[in-house]
Amino acid sequence: MRMQENVGTFIISLDFELYWGVHDVFKREKYEKNIRGAHDAVLAMLETFQQYHIHATWAIVGMIYCTNIMDLKKHIPRHTPTYNNKKLSANHYVENNPITEQDYDLFFAPYLIQRIRATPNQEIATHTFSHYYTLEKGQSEEQFSSDLKTAIHIAGKNGNNISSIVFPRNQVNEKYLQTCGLLGITAYRGTENSFIYKLNSNERKRFIKRVLRLLDCYMNLFGHHTYSLPSPTNNLVNIKSSRFLRPYSKKRSKLESLRLKRIKNAMTYAAKRGEIYHLWWHPHNFGINLDLNMVLLQEILNHFILLQKTYGFQSRNMGQLASDILANNTSKSNY
């Protein structure tokens, strides 16, 4: 299916990271249920995506491809990140914390990557090898390049050609985009066009921005965050996010209808205007309360089907959209 002019596009991307993505945020025992539950969440989402014919991008931390700790150590890049805060480093975590066979579900899932690859219309992208933070102090572009090369290599060994990247914690270091392009990346997920979503390395927990982002989830404070087809820069397409799909919260359960309405309204806005709406989340967000989270997802996908029938709203993954944009750009430049 080729991109249709003046037709809106629905993008879904997932940051598949297991415990590598939160080892510096949550203690293992506090978040273990979410991570173990992510295995069931991935399978449930794949089944639902196939049912609704959804094209999705799965940005996978390269370490997840490994089968065990010995396999992981064979793949550690030559240059690892030297963050000033060593606790941010997955490599530092491996060196200082035992990972037993009973813990493997928290760190490794090559069988799930195979299931993703076997499901129609799913793109396997990269979330770097070690959940690399490109804006943290102490790391370098050389270290990032080494990490990304390793991620692309281990994906390739498993039959997956990488053309899209999602930067961990949405830390997009524009100085590193050229490195991405040189390694064959054509798409990345940028942040929403609002100051509350543009974070420096030390702003993730800044209270005011956190509160504003939470409120924006339920009320239209900063717009729908939809956008027209982007133009490539140096053969790299910024497919910006529109909304993080927050997981079900019992504490805010009375606001669920507002959250769903906010998402549906933005999707409708994009479909009517031929724009892009990009929804993203982590599988471990669905790791607990899976049934309730899947009900929400199905509500969203039912609305997508309605918009598809009414306005031609189309489902694409990041790689497909970038490929079409680049092809159209080449065609126009030949005239």
Side-chain angles (χ1 to χ4, degrees):
M1 181 177 68
R2 300 293 295 173
M3 179 175 62
Q4 301 176 46
E5 296 291 340
N6 303 317
V7 171
T9 303
F10 183 44
I11 302 283
I12 285 179
S13 61
L14 300 111
D15 302 6
F16 186 25
E17 53 194 36
L18 295 179
Y19 192 62
W20 301 118
V22 295
H23 71 87
D24 55 324
V25 179
F26 298 112
K27 289 186 177 180
R28 194 186 301 188
E29 59 271 17
K30 183 177 181 180
Y31 207 67
E32 182 173 347
K33 286 185 178 179
N34 289 73
I35 300 300
R36 293 192 187 279
H39 290 251
D40 289 334
V42 169
L43 296 175
M45 286 185 282
L46 287 174
E47 182 179 353
T48 301
F49 289 164
Q50 188 165 6
Q51 177 186 350
Y52 285 86
H53 304 288
I54 295 297
H55 301 225
T57 293
W58 297 76
I60 302 174
V61 168
M63 288 180 165
I64 295 176
Y65 281 90
C66 299
T67 55
N68 54 46
I69 191 65
M70 295 304 296
D71 187 27
L72 171 61
K73 289 182 176 179
K74 293 177 184 176
H75 289 90
I76 296 296
R78 179 180 177 185
H79 302 287
T80 57
T82 53
Y83 306 125
N84 288 358
N85 181 359
K86 293 182 180 179
K87 291 184 179 179
L88 296 176
S89 171
N91 303 294
H92 181 271
Y93 181 89
V94 171
E95 293 168 358
N96 292 275
N97 295 274
I99 298 178
T100 66
E101 188 173 348
Q102 288 71 33
D103 296 327
Y104 282 178
D105 280 356
L106 302 177
F107 299 94
F108 311 118
Y111 81 98
L112 284 178
I113 300 174
Q114 292 175 1
R115 290 290 292 272
I116 294 168
R117 185 183 180 203
T119 303
N121 304 316
Q122 307 306 294
E123 175 194 17
I124 292 182
T126 185
H127 204 35
T128 72
F129 181 73
S130 65
H131 204 254
Y132 192 105
Y133 304 133
T134 67
L135 294 177
E136 294 297 337
K137 294 180 179 179
Q139 54 81 38
S140 69
E141 187 169 2
E142 181 184 33
Q143 293 166 1
F144 170 72
S145 178
S146 183
D147 186 279
L148 185 55
K149 285 177 181 177
T150 303
I152 292 171
H153 174 71
I154 198 168
K157 279 179 58 179
N158 288 272
N160 301 312
N161 296 318
I162 302 298
S163 63
S164 302
I165 184 171
V166 171
F167 291 92
R169 301 276 161 83
N170 294 311
Q171 290 190 12
V172 179
N173 189 329
E174 294 188 359
K175 295 179 181 178
Y176 293 3
L177 293 178
Q178 184 177 5
T179 296
C180 294
L182 291 173
L183 293 176
I185 301 294
T186 57
Y188 68 98
R189 190 181 73 205
T191 56
E192 294 91 321
N193 279 334
S194 172
F195 77 97
I196 64 170
Y197 295 99
K198 297 188 183 304
L199 306 179
N200 297 319
S201 62
N202 62 345
E203 286 193 310
R204 183 173 173 269
K205 296 183 178 180
R206 186 159 290 184
F207 179 74
I208 294 177
K209 285 190 175 182
R210 286 183 67 190
V211 170
L212 289 174
R213 290 198 302 274
L214 180 62
L215 291 175
D216 191 48
C217 177
Y218 297 100
M219 299 177 285
N220 187 352
L221 298 180
F222 296 94
H224 291 296
H225 306 299
T226 65
Y227 53 95
S228 302
L229 287 175
S231 298
T233 301
N234 297 323
N235 289 322
L236 198 60
V237 182
N238 179 5
I239 303 176
K240 295 176 290 189
S241 61
S242 301
R243 175 66 52 201
F244 168 57
L245 182 61
R246 292 176 179 270
Y248 171 83
S249 169
K250 185 177 181 180
K251 184 169 61 175
R252 294 188 288 270
S253 60
K254 293 182 179 179
L255 298 174
E256 284 295 282
S257 60
L258 287 177
R259 181 165 70 111
L260 179 60
K261 183 179 179 181
R262 174 84 163 106
I263 293 171
K264 284 184 175 181
N265 285 346
M267 291 172 65
T268 302
Y269 186 90
K272 285 182 175 180
R273 288 161 178 78
E275 295 186 341
I276 297 169
Y277 185 77
H278 187 166
L279 192 66
W280 72 276
W281 68 97
H282 312 86
H284 60 70
N285 296 139
F286 282 25
I288 58 173
N289 300 314
L290 177 58
D291 290 344
L292 291 170
N293 282 308
M294 289 304 298
V295 167
L296 175 68
L297 178 59
Q298 288 167 352
E299 288 272 7
I300 291 169
L301 298 185
N302 283 330
H303 190 61
F304 162 73
I305 295 299
L306 174 63
L307 296 175
Q308 186 181 55
K309 292 177 179 177
T310 307
Y311 303 105
F313 207 34
Q314 60 180 348
S315 173
R316 307 291 275 159
N317 60 48
M318 288 174 60
Q320 290 170 332
L321 182 61
S323 178
D324 287 345
I325 290 172
L326 291 169
N328 284 357
N329 190 63
T330 301
S331 297
K332 290 177 182 178
S333 66
N334 289 333
Y335 283 104

